[in-house]
Amino acid sequence: MIRRSTLPRRIADSLFKITSAVSSSLGLLIMIIIVSTILYYGASMLSIEFLTSPSKPYGEAGAGIANAILGTLLITFGAALIALPPAMAAGIYLAEYGRDSKLASILRFTGNVLMGIPSVVVGIFVYALVVVTFGRFSGFAGSVALAFLMFPVVMRTTEDMLRMVNDSLRESVLALGETRSRGTLKVIFRAARGGILTGVLLALARVSGETAPLLFTALFADSWPTSYFSGPTASLPVLITDYTMNSPFEAMHRAGWGAAFVIAAIILAVNLVSRYYAEKEKL
Amino acid sequence: MKLNRKYKIRTDNLSFWYGERQALFNNSLDIEANKITAIIGPSGCGKSTHLRVYNRIFELYRGQKAEGKILLDGENILDEDVDLLDLRRRIGMIFQKPTPFPMSVFDNVAYPLKLHYKLKGSELEARVEAALKGASLWDEVKDSLGKNGLALSGGQQQRLSIARAIAAEPEVLLMDEPTSAIDPIATAKIEELMDSLRERFTIVIVTHNMQQAARISDTTAFFYRGRIVEVGDTKDFFNNPKDPLTQDYLSVKFKK
């Protein structure tokens, strides 16, 4: 006789299924609420003028956010230039050379700690390190702060992605008479590049929305970001904070929403691009 | 009769350790030039370990250590000052899993040629073509040399690995269970290929497949628990195994 599944078991099973389904749709729901709110308040702001004019002092007409968009791009890419080479080199060391060595485990631990440090603390630190030293706020100081946030993430991604490459590939490069370093760069790194690129883009997207570190470093300016190395530089997150928190003007609140919409769109685009690359590299 | 044989590699008293654990005990084995030598034995007997000392690829890993002598044309490759890059140009290796590099078929085969001979242009193309022909892959890929090596089938990927390994004209080819990850038809192709490669290279193949060893090799060596139990001309080895251990192993394996 075939035993039948009991009723309590079936009920428990479907309860579990329903709970997990509801929970996962909760995540989707939150996403939808955020995006639709930003769309509702921000989309109406979008105009050529808004996207191409620089911001202006409180209350002046014809203001835009173009300087903040450019500033965010500058600061973020500056951070990437500073952080990527050493972070990738560190990731290569961890995956290819250090592996189980003492130094590697210290480095890994340090990376984890660094990842957990609140970004506002990094902001204060870079304020003391760069802003005070050079005697001025600057976009560059903002880049340094974001670079500190990027470094551990990129190091970790690089290590993880390289580790996913099978050792047999390492062996077969070496077996051809290739050196370890060139084999790593020309073959192993190449095998992992899709994952690494994805990680880098996600890290970029993440730090481009950071506000706290920039308040202490890049600050803000109602001008085009021409003095990246020498003066305050506008950015979208700081513009949003400033306009929505510090301004009494309804028009600026709405401009803040518009900027929120723009930065969300940029980050979404970066996410989609990184997904595209991840899929393409999978083969 | 043994006197006029020409040996490419003579292994003398080779022992090997993974950390504290000794995996090979005093292996001595002579590899005849331009012949196929098969190494067989149960899982974990040390046959792959033995092979991986010949090009010192084991040095990629910490804590692995070899002692003894391996003479390649009379010179000990375990000497500390041996140039590993040149050693590995002379001794190529094929692995269990096909390992195409993440680049085009052409670039895969061109890799060792650029590395060791700095070839370019038409000369490079000619050598790539020759290597792909040598690996019986040319007809299948000649119209798609720009295709990613990873997009080939398993059997093709393994022949691509062989083409890459023979491109730089090594003297010895080490094959570590080269057909265990691919289907029977692809396996037959590779066995056929090995037969043709024997003229140009000295081949040492590790295989868990007795029949394969019997079909393709000239000499067979039987490993058990890190020791070489018996070595002989393949026909002789399978027809008249001398050691009781070999007899047991062969009878169990073949009766199944």
Side-chain angles (χ1 to χ4, degrees):
Chain A
M1 192 178 120
I2 297 173
R3 249 205 253 175
R4 307 287 163 181
S5 163
T6 60
L7 188 63
R9 194 196 296 167
R10 263 180 287 157
I11 290 174
D13 192 43
S14 42
L15 266 181
F16 187 75
K17 236 188 279 178
I18 291 167
T19 318
S20 50
V22 168
S23 308
S24 60
S25 36
L26 217 61
L28 188 68
L29 193 70
I30 293 169
M31 173 79 191
I32 291 172
I33 291 173
I34 293 177
V35 170
S36 53
T37 311
I38 296 174
L39 259 178
Y40 178 77
Y41 290 105
S44 62
M45 282 305 297
L46 294 187
S47 66
I48 300 289
E49 190 188 31
F50 184 69
L51 291 174
T52 55
S53 318
S55 61
K56 295 194 172 151
Y58 285 180
E60 257 180 54
I65 59 167
N67 58 331
I69 296 177
L70 278 179
T72 285
L73 291 179
L74 261 177
I75 293 171
T76 312
F77 283 106
L81 279 182
I82 299 168
L84 291 188
M88 285 185 171
I92 289 175
Y93 171 77
L94 290 179
E96 301 294 329
Y97 297 97
R99 290 224 174 172
D100 308 319
S101 71
K102 190 107 190 172
L103 178 63
S105 66
I106 294 172
L107 205 63
R108 242 174 244 127
F109 178 74
T110 316
N112 287 342
V113 173
L114 203 57
M115 252 190 262
I117 291 181
S119 58
V120 63
V121 176
V122 172
I124 297 174
F125 170 68
V126 174
Y127 173 81
L129 188 78
V130 181
V131 177
V132 172
T133 310
F134 291 96
R136 56 174 84 93
F137 292 98
S138 69
F140 173 72
S143 292
V144 173
L146 296 189
F148 272 102
L149 297 173
M150 273 188 87
F151 181 89
V153 181
V154 173
M155 176 178 84
R156 195 53 189 268
T157 316
T158 306
E159 182 193 2
D160 288 348
M161 293 302 134
L162 287 176
R163 279 189 161 221
M164 277 168 62
V165 176
N166 208 303
D167 269 346
S168 59
L169 198 63
R170 287 185 181 87
E171 291 180 7
S172 60
V173 188
L174 293 182
L176 288 179
E178 180 61 288
T179 59
R180 188 79 198 271
S181 51
R182 292 212 328 169
T184 299
L185 291 178
K186 289 175 76 175
V187 177
I188 309 301
F189 202 78
R190 199 159 173 168
R193 72 180 165 183
I196 294 174
L197 185 66
T198 307
V200 167
L201 286 175
L202 291 179
L204 271 177
R206 185 86 202 92
V207 299
S208 68
E210 281 289 347
T211 316
L214 298 184
L215 286 172
F216 294 93
T217 51
L219 215 62
F220 192 79
D222 283 324
S223 59
W224 293 104
T226 46
S227 48
Y228 170 76
F229 285 102
S230 56
T233 302
S235 66
L236 283 171
V238 176
L239 179 140
I240 294 166
T241 315
D242 194 40
Y243 278 26
T244 53
M245 304 290 294
N246 303 340
S247 166
F249 301 107
E250 178 61 25
M252 301 194 87
H253 294 171
R254 279 193 286 121
W257 279 110
F261 177 80
V262 170
I263 196 169
I266 292 175
I267 289 173
L268 185 70
V270 173
N271 270 284
L272 288 176
V273 168
S274 68
R275 257 193 92 90
Y276 169 77
Y277 272 107
E279 291 295 320
K280 210 178 89 175
E281 289 285 326
K282 238 182 231 163
L283 241 147
Chain B
M1 190 178 90
K2 284 246 175 194
L3 282 176
N4 50 24
R5 293 193 175 188
K6 190 172 166 275
Y7 295 109
K8 186 72 186 170
I9 297 177
R10 309 193 75 150
T11 299
D12 184 24
N13 219 11
L14 173 70
S15 295
F16 190 89
W17 287 264
Y18 289 104
E20 295 294 299
R21 190 172 67 82
Q22 186 166 3
L24 296 179
F25 300 84
N26 311 91
N27 293 174
S28 292
L29 181 64
D30 292 335
I31 309 288
E32 236 182 308
N34 293 92
K35 295 274 157 79
I36 298 180
T37 303
I39 298 179
I40 61 167
S43 302
C45 68
K47 52 191 192 297
S48 285
T49 304
H50 183 94
L51 193 75
R52 291 163 59 84
V53 185
Y54 285 10
N55 64 348
R56 290 175 58 175
I57 198 72
F58 69 89
E59 290 180 8
L60 175 59
Y61 305 95
R62 236 167 244 271
Q64 304 193 6
K65 187 179 79 189
E67 258 171 34
K69 271 188 194 158
I70 296 176
L71 304 177
L72 175 66
D73 292 334
E75 285 178 280
N76 186 9
I77 67 147
L78 290 178
D79 282 346
E80 278 209 14
D81 58 353
V82 165
D83 176 359
L84 287 184
L85 305 191
D86 189 59
L87 175 71
R88 289 168 184 164
R89 181 188 60 77
R90 295 178 62 192
I91 304 186
M93 189 167 202
I94 316 290
F95 298 86
Q96 188 170 350
K97 267 179 60 187
T99 51
F101 296 162
M103 49 186 80
S104 71
V105 169
F106 183 89
D107 288 340
N108 261 280
V109 184
Y111 196 103
L113 294 169
K114 289 181 187 163
L115 179 64
H116 295 294
Y117 304 111
K118 317 273 179 246
L119 292 180
K120 278 188 198 126
S122 58
E123 207 180 345
L124 179 66
E125 282 166 29
R127 290 284 293 271
V128 168
E129 181 177 336
L132 284 167
K133 279 180 175 158
S136 314
L137 186 60
W138 175 252
D139 290 335
E140 291 158 65
V141 298
K142 63 182 175 207
D143 298 321
S144 51
L145 292 173
K147 195 159 124 181
N148 194 315
L150 292 162
L152 300 177
S153 75
Q156 288 174 328
Q157 288 189 7
Q158 191 62 304
R159 276 179 285 142
L160 178 63
S161 305
I162 294 175
R164 196 176 58 202
I166 62 176
E169 296 287 333
E171 297 153 34
V172 180
L173 267 187
L174 309 175
M175 300 184 142
D176 190 359
E177 307 205 22
T179 60
S180 66
I182 57 183
D183 67 77
I185 293 171
T187 298
K189 260 195 184 147
I190 286 180
E191 286 184 9
E192 213 176 292
L193 168 63
M194 288 179 64
D195 198 47
S196 70
L197 291 176
R198 142 171 38 201
E199 290 166 22
R200 292 160 57 200
F201 309 100
T202 299
I203 299 178
V204 188
I205 177 175
V206 162
T207 175
H208 63 270
N209 181 334
M210 313 267 96
Q211 285 86 351
Q212 184 170 58
R215 275 195 301 270
I216 59 171
S217 72
D218 303 290
T219 307
T220 302
F222 173 56
F223 275 56
Y224 189 72
R225 294 194 171 171
R227 290 188 166 80
I228 300 177
V229 176
E230 185 167 348
V231 187
D233 287 354
T234 297
K235 253 192 201 138
D236 210 35
F237 179 93
F238 283 99
N239 292 333
N240 298 305
K242 313 239 167 7
D243 195 283
L245 263 173
T246 319
Q247 289 163 359
D248 276 2
Y249 185 67
L250 292 184
S251 65
V252 170
K253 275 280 183 174
F254 272 115
K255 263 175 204 157
K256 257 200 266 184

